[in-house]
Amino acid sequence: KQWYQRRVAITAGGPVWSVDWSPVSKTLATAGSDKIVRLWRKEGDCGKWVCFANLDGGNAKTIRQVTWSPCGRKLATASFDSVCAVWEYSDGEGWELGATLEGHENEVKSVAWSRDGDYLASCSRDKTVWVWEVTGDDYECASVLQVHTQDVKRVAWHPNTPVLASSSYDNSIKLYRENGDDWECYDTLSGHSSTVWAICFNKNGDKLVSCSDDRTLRVWTSKDSKKYTCASSLFGFHGRPIYDVCWGRHGYIASASGENTIRVFELNGSSLLLSHVEENAHKGDVNTIRWKGNLLASGGDDEVVRIWMLETT
């Protein structure tokens, strides 16, 4: 396997906290401490990545996460201003701020769309997870879940069923499902000894990977995509906290850490095998990482987004 690097220079005034690929094109959204969502695409014969849109004014403080809707025509942000902003694209009008979702009492750390776009989940330093029901351009709070005892760092939807997962500063992962007119927490995954920074399902949803401040990756497996048990724990590859993890549709798991390094793993049975190491991937913490086919985007404290290409030989 050979790796080639292409760089996208970010002119933001601070760290890059989030990157996310459009599900319908090779457009990359980035966001960070400058409060702007930037959209990037490759243009020209030389294949240079250029910023073609700046979405500004949706949030008043650092954007912690930006994520695309399944249709590729909406973007949601989670911000330290306690607000989720939703940007919407319309033909002829381009991108416009469609909604601002208020209710969290503190910094919003993560936001995620369900597989059908009918729900939007958000989580916060206020220890809550909110589920918003989406009907056209309207967003109504369907449930407020307060089962974590500390800051909630990440939310992620199962790719095939209406199951929501969250991870927290309380070292745990919670799983939720709809119950009548409300949502309920039906399971807790324990095992990490420190903050669980990020979680990500594989494409089938029968496995979940988590990363932590305890410098471990854990793979959780399920036979019914409801109850998950820890199948493997990987320690010793990262020397500092692991801040993000992404499970690509091709099966590779990428992790981003506070030691400026990106690592890529393959799952062999129940074991994670190291496939590639990119030392000094950024000149500072690597905060965010996302797959798009054989492309891997990363963002860090060095105010740079980098795009890596995987070629299998």
Side-chain angles (χ1 to χ4, degrees):
K1 303 169 186 69
Q2 295 180 340
W3 290 78
Y4 300 93
Q5 178 188 2
R6 293 182 179 179
R7 297 186 181 183
V8 178
I10 293 293
T11 56
V16 180
W17 284 106
S18 181
V19 297
D20 197 35
W21 293 98
S22 167
V24 297
S25 69
K26 287 185 177 179
T27 299
L28 181 67
T30 66
S33 63
D34 67 350
K35 304 169 286 187
I36 299 172
V37 176
R38 288 181 167 84
L39 303 184
W40 303 80
R41 65 188 173 202
K42 190 165 59 173
E43 293 184 351
D45 295 336
C46 63
K48 181 180 179 181
W49 288 83
V50 298
C51 177
F52 67 92
N54 291 310
L55 310 184
D56 193 6
N59 296 106
K61 293 184 179 180
T62 294
I63 298 174
R64 188 62 180 85
Q65 189 175 18
V66 60
T67 183
W68 292 88
S69 67
C71 67
R73 298 176 72 88
K74 295 181 180 181
L75 282 161
T77 63
S79 172
F80 287 0
D81 64 3
S82 309
V83 169
C84 296
V86 180
W87 294 88
E88 299 177 353
Y89 182 85
S90 60
D91 297 329
E93 299 295 331
W95 289 97
E96 294 182 334
L97 183 61
T100 54
L101 310 182
E102 300 180 357
H104 283 292
E105 297 177 358
N106 215 313
E107 301 167 355
V108 185
K109 297 298 183 69
S110 177
V111 64
W113 299 89
S114 63
R115 63 188 178 96
D116 52 13
D118 289 343
Y119 292 100
L120 184 68
S122 59
C123 65
S124 169
R125 189 177 178 182
D126 65 12
K127 309 175 189 177
T128 66
V129 172
W130 287 49
V131 179
W132 306 83
E133 188 171 2
V134 183
T135 305
D137 296 333
D138 295 327
Y139 299 80
E140 182 179 352
C141 179
S143 186
V144 177
L145 300 155
Q146 189 165 359
V147 291
H148 284 292
T149 59
Q150 297 291 337
D151 184 353
V152 191
K153 298 296 187 181
R154 185 66 60 91
V155 284
W157 289 94
H158 188 283
N160 302 313
T161 62
V163 169
L164 176 66
S166 64
S167 64
S168 170
Y169 190 79
D170 66 11
N171 309 348
S172 75
I173 299 166
K174 305 287 187 181
L175 297 175
Y176 313 87
R177 63 189 172 193
E178 201 168 11
N179 182 15
D181 294 331
D182 204 354
W183 288 73
E184 64 174 0
C185 176
Y186 71 89
D187 201 10
T188 298
L189 308 184
S190 301
H192 284 292
S193 61
S194 191
T195 302
V196 186
W197 284 102
I199 46 179
C200 185
F201 288 97
N202 70 341
K203 65 178 181 180
N204 297 322
D206 61 337
K207 296 179 179 66
L208 175 73
V209 64
S210 57
C211 65
S212 171
D213 209 69
D214 65 13
R215 297 173 288 166
T216 69
L217 292 169
R218 286 179 177 260
V219 174
W220 311 79
T221 61
S222 173
K223 294 181 179 179
D224 58 6
S225 291
K226 294 179 182 178
K227 292 284 187 176
Y228 289 80
T229 59
C230 185
S232 64
S233 178
L234 191 67
F235 179 79
F237 287 94
H238 286 290
R240 294 190 64 191
I242 308 171
Y243 293 127
D244 202 6
V245 64
C246 184
W247 204 324
R249 296 187 62 83
H250 42 42
Y252 290 104
I253 297 171
S255 61
S257 80
E259 58 188 349
N260 313 353
T261 302
I262 295 170
R263 284 178 168 81
V264 179
F265 300 89
E266 298 178 74
L267 189 65
N268 183 10
S270 60
S271 300
L272 285 173
L273 303 179
L274 183 64
S275 176
H276 178 75
V277 179
E278 194 64 44
E279 301 282 357
N280 299 314
H282 287 266
K283 296 178 181 178
D285 292 354
V286 188
N287 299 319
T288 176
I289 198 161
R290 288 293 180 275
W291 285 108
K292 174 73 172 183
N294 68 335
L295 297 179
L296 182 66
S298 63
D301 278 355
D302 57 3
E303 304 177 23
V304 171
V305 168
R306 291 183 177 172
I307 297 176
W308 314 81
M309 180 182 293
L310 170 67
E311 288 193 357
T312 304
T313 56

